[in-house]
Amino acid sequence: MSWETVIGLEIHVQLDTKSKIFSGASTTYGAEQNTNTSPVDLGYPGVLPVLNKDAVMMAIKFGLAVDAEISRRSIFARKNYFYPDLPKGYQISQYELPIVHTGSLEIRLNDGSKKVVGITRAHLEEDAGKSIHDKFANETAIDLNRAGTPLLEIVSEPDIRSAEEASAYMQKIHQLVRYLKISDGNMQEGSFRCDANVSVRPSGQNELGTRTEVKNINSFRFVENAINYEVERQIDRLEDGDEVAQETRLYDPERDETRPMRSKEEANDYRYFPDPDLLPLEIDDETIEEIRKSLPELFDAKVKRYTEVLKIKENDAEEIARNMQVAEYFEAILENFNHDAQLISNWILSEVIAVLNRESIEINAFQIEPSRLASLLSRIHDNTISSTIAKDLFNQMLSSDETADEMIEKQGLEQITDEDSISQFVTEVLDEFSEQKDQYLAGKEQVLGFLVGQVMKRSKGKANPKLVNELIIRQIKR
Ligand code: ADP
Ligand code: MG
């Protein structure tokens, strides 16, 4: 019997607001424990939550980017459960009426095929605090800095059919929230994590199988591993005649397996009800239109423009657009040098990326500003310098703040394009290497490369190689 895998993802994105979703406390990561807290986050009696407008704007931005409906009226609800890191005894979330619903996202798979994944809903909620088990022996410490941090929970339809698709979808959402600048997407710091709901069913069956929910996955590789493990485990059970229990599981990256956390029977009944402390959230058309106008150009549109308007190879366009900061860097160069977009792309994807990898830095920390790289590329483009010299200058730029023109001037690097000067070098070389000259005349054309190399050497790399070629042939045949 063959089996079909069915997956739905719930992705938690930490929104990049300055303050928390219902209080004025800071959201800065890594502050001393329990210092980013206000009486609201601590759940003191008598306090009232005040909704952070920025979090609402960011949720709408996301909704528009995935072609979703934006609810003109949505409701905050209390999700009740007891846990030490949740001082109020409930989490404020959205339940029946989320701010965003019914959207979709197109993903691209390794074989080049495309697929649309439905987005059921995206709702606003607050994060809980953190339990720290390794600070004190036999005791657990609580850090409430994270309590009240705004989250957008993005829930997909059960449209995903494989671990590869799940990872592609997660990556596309990750890229999107970074493009929209609504989250830093930092997975190590927990700003982007997902729960994977996984089930299997006999191929051809309409009804969904019983699912398990693998919690708190914080890497694209782990989501694939966890799903592959779950699928195999569930199929094994079903083929042995056992049932799959509907339960919550945890993925353990060290052992590459999932383990049960708690089963549905002992799961909490959250007793959701509308939070009486918060008014319904109402959004007018004008606000939505304003946000729609502020949306940046997104990945797919960028790739299209790069290939169709700027005439860059498709693979290169995708490489550049994959990371929005890289795309911004590329476009900043283009503002100063718009003669050859493919040349810019080549330099970013080879030289620049090599430095970033070598130094483990992001492009924002890259030493060479777009305007300086533009100055270098301009001088290659107008034949002032050869690309060999340009690479040398590029390396020098890493530890100086001079422009290409300043360097070329100071170091006298201007390419020699004057025929008379080059001809002199050619005459010298042909005198010294008359044997090679005769070989060329006898039909051994490969020696031309050697002769060009000799002329380039004499010109200290400054002669225009194309001209050198021409002049050698002209002199030999004379
Ligand atoms: P809950 O509120 O209990 O988490 P939801 O119905 O909201 O459950 O679904 C949560 C996620 O689980 C969604 O992404 C949904 O697509 C997915 N899902 C629901 N049923 C299944 C199933 N049988 N197999 C795989 N995924 C499922
Ligand atoms: Mg769930």
Side-chain angles (χ1 to χ4, degrees):
M1 169 146 52
S2 78
W3 298 89
E4 183 183 43
T5 303
V6 175
I7 301 157
L9 294 189
E10 296 164 272
I11 297 182
H12 291 87
V13 177
Q14 185 182 316
L15 296 175
D16 211 356
T17 55
K18 291 198 183 66
S19 57
K20 295 191 174 173
I21 186 169
F22 298 117
S23 86
S26 163
T27 52
T28 317
Y29 182 82
E32 198 191 325
Q33 283 91 1
N34 296 307
T35 55
N36 284 351
T37 48
S38 83
V40 173
D41 311 311
L42 300 173
Y44 279 19
V47 298
L48 283 175
V50 177
L51 180 57
N52 183 336
K53 188 175 173 188
D54 285 347
V56 175
M57 297 295 150
M58 290 178 183
I60 298 174
K61 226 175 187 184
F62 174 81
L64 293 175
V66 295
D67 279 325
E69 303 292 327
I70 311 298
S71 306
R72 297 300 189 273
R73 187 170 182 277
S74 63
I75 302 272
F76 286 97
R78 290 186 180 179
K79 178 177 179 178
N80 299 279
Y81 64 92
F82 176 77
Y83 205 76
D85 63 19
L86 189 74
K88 297 194 298 295
Y90 59 85
Q91 175 194 26
I92 305 179
S93 182
Q94 295 192 304
Y95 187 54
E96 273 162 9
L97 276 177
I99 181 165
V100 168
H101 66 94
T102 326
S104 66
L105 191 66
E106 187 178 78
I107 57 170
R108 200 166 134 179
L109 304 169
N110 288 333
D111 66 3
S113 62
K114 291 180 176 166
K115 162 169 188 150
V116 174
V117 176
I119 291 175
T120 317
R121 53 188 277 151
H123 62 255
L124 285 165
E125 61 184 30
E126 59 178 344
D127 208 344
K130 211 156 78 185
S131 302
I132 302 168
H133 302 289
D134 54 8
K135 192 172 171 79
F136 305 110
N138 304 319
E139 277 173 280
T140 294
I142 303 286
D143 178 9
L144 292 173
N145 279 352
R146 209 179 59 187
T149 300
L151 298 178
L152 186 67
E153 177 172 339
I154 304 160
V155 182
S156 87
E157 288 288 297
D159 286 345
I160 299 165
R161 289 290 172 273
S162 68
E164 188 208 335
E165 287 182 17
S167 166
Y169 169 81
M170 192 174 165
Q171 291 183 49
K172 187 97 193 228
I173 295 269
H174 186 252
Q175 181 185 64
L176 180 59
V177 297
R178 292 184 27 128
Y179 253 93
L180 296 171
K181 298 197 166 138
I182 62 175
S183 174
D184 63 16
N186 191 321
M187 297 168 107
Q188 279 80 46
E189 295 176 3
S191 302
F192 191 93
R193 48 195 203 260
C194 102
D195 304 339
N197 296 269
V198 185
S199 67
V200 298
R201 63 183 170 189
S203 296
Q205 176 183 305
N206 270 332
E207 198 187 325
L208 292 176
T210 305
R211 74 177 142 134
T212 57
E213 181 173 358
V214 188
K215 284 280 194 195
N216 268 327
I217 305 172
N218 68 348
S219 105
F220 304 128
R221 193 159 53 83
F222 292 168
V223 86
E224 283 199 50
N225 293 349
I227 290 169
N228 284 331
Y229 179 89
E230 248 331 89
V231 168
E232 228 175 274
R233 187 188 69 84
Q234 292 184 13
I235 292 176
D236 278 352
R237 286 194 68 86
L238 295 171
E239 288 188 340
D240 286 348
D242 293 326
E243 287 187 342
V244 171
Q246 177 163 344
E247 62 187 0
T248 309
R249 299 175 72 90
L250 258 193
Y251 176 68
D252 175 350
E254 255 149 53
R255 297 163 76 165
D256 188 23
E257 64 177 29
T258 68
R259 283 195 299 273
M261 259 173 89
R262 51 176 190 247
S263 69
K264 269 280 150 153
E265 294 94 280
E266 46 188 293
N268 300 287
D269 168 5
Y270 293 124
R271 297 176 292 119
Y272 278 100
F273 63 87
D275 191 318
D277 288 343
L278 286 155
L279 291 168
L281 170 59
E282 288 183 351
I283 298 161
D284 55 29
D285 293 349
E286 211 185 321
T287 307
I288 293 175
E289 281 323 303
E290 229 165 77
I291 296 175
R292 195 191 301 279
K293 276 191 228 130
S294 79
L295 285 182
E297 182 182 44
L298 298 177
F299 176 81
D300 295 337
K302 262 198 203 310
V303 170
K304 193 161 185 280
R305 180 166 63 88
Y306 289 178
T307 49
E308 291 178 9
V309 181
L310 300 175
K311 307 285 181 220
I312 297 179
K313 290 186 220 134
E314 186 168 21
N315 276 342
D316 294 349
E318 284 177 4
E319 280 296 310
I320 297 273
R322 179 161 302 148
N323 179 319
M324 192 201 44
Q325 275 85 21
V326 173
E328 283 176 349
Y329 185 84
F330 167 79
E331 292 180 24
I333 294 179
L334 205 60
E335 274 176 29
N336 295 285
F337 168 69
N338 64 359
H339 302 292
D340 189 347
Q342 183 68 52
L343 181 70
I344 305 177
S345 161
N346 293 346
W347 273 73
I348 291 179
L349 295 179
S350 53
E351 310 306 318
V352 177
I353 297 281
V355 176
L356 302 184
N357 289 342
R358 194 172 67 221
E359 300 185 4
S360 302
I361 51 171
E362 301 246 1
I363 201 154
N364 304 31
F366 184 52
Q367 302 91 323
I368 306 178
E369 307 81 4
S371 61
R372 284 203 298 147
L373 190 48
S375 75
L376 187 67
L377 299 183
S378 306
R379 297 296 83 85
I380 301 175
H381 181 74
D382 65 12
N383 285 323
T384 307
I385 52 172
S386 66
S387 24
T388 318
I389 288 184
K391 281 186 189 154
D392 190 31
L393 292 186
F394 177 85
N395 287 322
Q396 294 181 31
M397 277 183 170
L398 294 172
S399 51
S400 97
D401 47 20
E402 288 182 333
T403 66
D405 289 339
E406 286 163 349
M407 289 173 155
I408 291 167
E409 156 112 55
K410 254 196 211 163
Q411 304 175 33
L413 294 174
E414 210 154 311
Q415 180 160 266
I416 305 172
T417 50
D418 156 44
E419 290 201 8
D420 291 344
S421 327
I422 298 178
S423 288
Q424 264 179 32
F425 293 129
V426 172
T427 310
E428 285 170 32
V429 167
L430 293 181
D431 278 352
E432 187 177 338
F433 299 99
S434 55
E435 198 182 316
Q436 280 79 359
K437 174 182 161 182
D438 293 339
Q439 287 174 350
Y440 182 85
L441 280 170
K444 193 176 171 196
E445 294 192 355
Q446 309 90 288
V447 295
L448 183 61
F450 169 78
L451 294 170
V452 170
Q454 289 301 319
V455 173
M456 292 305 291
K457 208 161 139 192
R458 267 159 221 258
S459 77
K460 304 204 168 61
K462 295 193 297 186
N464 176 316
K466 210 169 134 226
L467 212 51
V468 171
N469 247 285
E470 281 170 30
L471 292 175
I472 292 178
I473 295 173
R474 217 189 291 166
Q475 278 205 33
I476 289 182
K477 293 194 169 160
R478 204 158 48 203

